[in-house]
Amino acid sequence: MNPIVEHHNAKGRSDLEVKVGVRYWVFEFKVCNSENDGKELLKEAILQLQRKEYGLQELEEQILRVALVFSLEKRKFIEFSQCD
């Protein structure tokens, strides 16, 4: 694995990118204080991945972009989605 934290591109920086074999994973993390914010933060993370085109500068066979929301209250990820 080759992890890159806060990888910059021309439009911003992703939270975490990891190359594993032929797959290139791009993660965008959000943190919420209450469960009510989870869905909104997930939408925000998905839009950020799409608008800023995180990971698309890489020439890999398979790019997987994932948005995740971590709850401070529950101490776990409460929302996640793979983006196109």
Side-chain angles (χ1 to χ4, degrees):
M1 292 193 307
N2 184 20
I4 303 169
V5 178
E6 295 187 351
H7 190 218
H8 292 263
N9 74 10
K11 296 183 179 184
R13 66 175 181 248
S14 61
D15 290 330
L16 176 64
E17 296 186 14
V18 181
K19 183 176 188 312
V20 182
V22 296
R23 291 188 178 107
Y24 195 83
W25 292 85
V26 180
F27 297 96
E28 183 60 34
F29 300 105
K30 298 292 180 192
V31 177
C32 74
N33 293 321
S34 67
E35 275 189 64
N36 298 340
D37 301 327
K39 299 270 188 220
E40 270 310 303
L41 287 172
L42 182 64
K43 289 179 189 176
E44 182 182 319
I46 291 168
L47 282 174
Q48 187 172 346
L49 280 167
Q50 292 169 342
R51 288 183 182 153
K52 299 197 178 204
E53 301 176 0
Y54 294 155
L56 299 183
Q57 72 277 6
E58 301 301 322
L59 301 173
E60 299 298 331
E61 291 181 31
Q62 187 177 24
I63 297 174
L64 302 164
R65 301 186 308 161
V66 182
L68 299 109
V69 178
F70 185 83
S71 168
L72 291 176
E73 181 180 322
K74 292 194 169 196
R75 309 285 300 159
K76 66 180 183 176
F77 289 104
I78 58 169
E79 300 287 341
F80 64 91
S81 178
Q82 184 174 338
C83 306
D84 297 327

